[in-house]
Amino acid sequence: MKKPLALLGALPLVLLLAACGSSAKGDDTTTVVASFYPFAFVAEQVGGTHVEVENLTSPGVEPHDLELKPKQVGEVQNADLLVYEEHFQAAVDDAVEQADRSKDDTIDVASIVELKPLQEGAEDGHDHGEEGHDHGEEDPHTWLDPDNMIAVTKAVESKLSAADPDHASDYAANAAQLTSELEKLGTEFETGLESCRTRTIVTSHAAFQYLAARYDLTQVPIAGLDPANEPSPSQLADITDLVRKDKISTIFTEELVSPAIADTIAKETGATTATLDPIEGLSDDTKGQTYLTLMRKNLETLKEANSCT
């Protein structure tokens, strides 16, 4: 039994019981807590019917802004497996720090994939640390490279097999299937983006560096790592000039972020707007989609916007 969380000591008794109670749904079910949608998707695909997956970030919630309820803090502590990425969601980092979890039942994606440094020009214009959005010195948007999702898949399969060896063969088969689908997705991106009129993408925030690096694109973000932060007037002018100079036809917006600034740039330059989904979470419009279908929709959007043949 893990130790009760120190931060829960001052909570009312009813919340304390809700937070510290086990999230297990039964002796035969392995419980997995994922910090947000992409990792929940992998856990669901690999775990299948043998796991109960809890996504800490509800549909429609911008994951950078996540605040955990006491019950969710307890789930972070008590889950059989936790999948998260350090320095992406401050509330999750705080809960993990206090949960006294073992590395044997925790996957920090930042430790299993190669992180990229912040893209030059993508730094936000103020100190996130004071506001609870400390992303460190690396870009956390790892999941937009299918190869990184394959690494997450393998890690989840390994941890689930160790936690629940009776179903290890099922986890291995499910992981192999998902890996095959992610490899196919990567091939589709390579082929679809091989020949394009322009390789520059102007995005709402700096979420697409991993995708851009994998497929030889150049990301120009309007905001930095946190989509809530607006660009300075000089940054906005530079982006507008670039769009005009390079004859960029499309400014990309997102599902969970206001399109106001992107719309302004598009209006000033004669460009259009289109949705490029960073797949940080699902919305009402995308709740019936999956990581794979959303990535393929992104591919079609990129091909049309950048005139790829």
Side-chain angles (χ1 to χ4, degrees), residues 33-40 55-57 63-64 66 76 82-97 106-118 132-145 148-149 151-152 206-207 209-210 225 278-280:
V33 167
S35 58
F36 71 118
Y37 173 71
F39 303 155
N55 181 0
L56 294 176
T57 306
H64 296 80
L66 178 67
V76 169
L82 170 68
V83 189
Y84 81 113
E85 184 172 332
E86 188 177 22
H87 297 314
F88 180 57
Q89 295 168 289
V92 178
D93 289 351
D94 290 343
V96 172
E97 183 178 354
T106 302
I107 297 173
D108 173 12
V109 172
S111 70
I112 64 171
V113 302
E114 183 177 350
L115 296 178
K116 295 184 180 299
L118 295 181
H133 295 285
D134 180 13
H135 292 296
E137 298 300 319
E138 282 109 7
D139 184 340
H141 299 86
T142 56
W143 58 92
L144 288 171
D145 180 344
N148 287 338
M149 288 289 275
V152 176
Q209 180 182 190
Y210 289 88
L225 286 180
I279 319 182
E280 295 179 345

